[in-house]
Amino acid sequence: MWKRNTFFGIIVLVFTSFNYSTAQDNNVDSSAIRVNRKGKVIVKTGDELYFGVSPGFSNRTLTQNPGLFSKPLGERENEYGGWFYSFHVGYRAKLHQLALLDIGFEYSRNGEFYDTPGDTIYSYKNTYHHIGIPLKVAFQYGNKLKLHVAGGFVPKMFLNQTTMETIGTQFGGVEEVKTKYKEGYNFFNVDAVISLGFRWQSGRNLGIYVLPEARWQLFNTYGKQSSYIHKSFVLGISAGIFVML
C-alpha cells in the first residue's frame, strides 16, 4: 500500500511544481511572437503540449539474487534485446529563455527475446508494461530550430508482464501461447533518462521534435523473493508533435 501512496504522492508533487513553474517570468523569442490579421502582436507563453511515440531497442541486465531463492540463470543467460514501442504525452513549461520543466505521462514497454538453438522450434518474447510520469529539466538553444538537452527521472508503476511463446508442433506447424503475469513483481520503479536532439517549429503553432534518448531502470523488476535481479535499459528515440501555447 505504501508503494501506491508513494506513486500517487509523486503525481501531486509534479502538478504542484508545474503550477509554480508556469507562474515564473518568461522571456520570449521570435518563434513565440506573431502578428494577426488585424496587426495585433500575439505573444505565446513559450509552453508546449506534446505527444508522440518512443521506439527503442530494449535489453536487460540479469544476475542471481543472493539469498535463499537464488538459482542459476540457465537458458535465460541467452536472452537478447529487441525493439519495443512506447507512447507518451506531456507538457513543457518554460522556466527561462534557456530552460524548461518537462512533465509527462507515458505507457512504456520493454523486454527481451529468446530462441532455442538448433532445429527445435521454440522462442519467446517477454514484454514488461508500465505507466510512468517523466520528470525532466530541459535546456534549449536556438530560435525556430532549437537544440534540446534534457535529463531526469521516470517514476513508473508496473502493470503486467506478457510472454508470447512460439512452440513447434509434432506435425511441423507452430503454436503461439500468450501468458500474462502480475504477481511477484516490483510495483514501483524508477528510470533515469537523458536525451539530446532538436525541436523545430514548422508552423505558426505546430512543431516536431526528435530526441534520441537513453534510459536505465534503477531497481529490480522482480520482487524481493525472486531468483533474479532484472534491470532494463533502452536506447531509442522520442519523437512527435508539439503545440505552442
Side-chain angles (χ1 to χ4, degrees):
M1 178 61 69
W2 71 269
K3 291 183 178 180
R4 288 176 171 83
N5 292 338
T6 300
F7 184 81
F8 293 111
I10 289 174
I11 295 177
V12 174
L13 179 60
V14 167
F15 285 100
T16 301
S17 301
F18 166 73
N19 288 333
Y20 173 79
S21 69
T22 56
Q24 304 305 301
D25 176 61
N26 289 317
N27 297 315
V28 298
D29 56 41
S30 63
S31 65
I33 301 174
R34 70 178 180 87
V35 179
N36 65 13
R37 295 179 179 179
K38 297 181 178 180
K40 183 178 179 180
V41 176
I42 306 297
V43 181
K44 296 286 186 177
T45 64
D47 295 354
E48 302 171 4
L49 177 66
Y50 65 88
F51 54 93
V53 62
S54 301
F57 185 87
S58 171
N59 209 332
R60 86 293 182 272
T61 59
L62 188 69
T63 57
Q64 295 184 45
N65 191 4
L68 179 64
F69 301 97
S70 180
K71 66 179 183 180
L73 299 184
E75 281 299 308
R76 292 209 60 182
E77 190 171 4
N78 297 319
E79 292 173 343
Y80 58 92
W83 287 90
F84 292 81
Y85 288 83
S86 302
F87 306 91
H88 60 265
V89 297
Y91 197 101
R92 298 188 184 102
K94 190 174 182 180
L95 300 175
H96 184 269
Q97 184 69 19
L98 300 177
L100 301 167
L101 176 64
D102 190 333
I103 304 170
F105 180 84
E106 69 176 24
Y107 169 63
S108 64
R109 295 183 289 191
N110 58 70
E112 61 265 346
F113 298 78
Y114 173 82
D115 293 320
T116 301
D119 296 331
T120 303
I121 299 176
Y122 177 74
S123 64
Y124 63 76
K125 173 185 177 182
N126 291 333
T127 305
Y128 305 89
H129 305 258
H130 294 84
I131 58 172
I133 301 176
L135 308 173
K136 294 177 282 187
V137 175
F139 298 92
Q140 61 181 3
Y141 180 78
N143 198 345
K144 290 185 178 294
L145 180 65
K146 290 182 170 67
L147 177 68
H148 183 101
V149 182
F153 297 94
V154 185
K156 62 182 186 180
M157 180 176 67
F158 176 78
L159 296 177
N160 59 67
Q161 181 216 319
T162 58
T163 298
M164 179 64 75
E165 297 176 281
T166 302
I167 305 169
T169 67
Q170 60 180 335
F171 302 107
V174 295
E175 178 184 3
E176 290 190 341
V177 179
K178 183 176 182 180
T179 310
K180 182 182 293 187
Y181 304 94
K182 290 187 176 182
E183 302 298 326
Y185 297 83
N186 197 354
F187 173 81
F188 178 79
N189 220 310
V190 180
D191 287 348
V193 57
I194 59 172
S195 58
L196 170 63
F198 69 87
R199 305 193 329 276
W200 176 48
Q201 185 182 338
S202 56
R204 179 177 295 176
N205 299 310
L206 296 175
I208 61 173
Y209 60 93
V210 178
L211 306 173
E213 182 178 271
R215 60 171 63 198
W216 300 265
Q217 186 174 290
L218 300 184
F219 308 115
N220 192 4
T221 302
Y222 304 137
K224 293 181 180 180
Q225 296 182 346
S226 171
S227 301
Y228 309 117
I229 297 176
H230 176 285
K231 296 181 181 180
S232 67
F233 58 89
V234 180
L235 300 175
I237 296 176
S238 176
I241 298 172
F242 69 82
V243 180
M244 290 192 64
L245 303 176

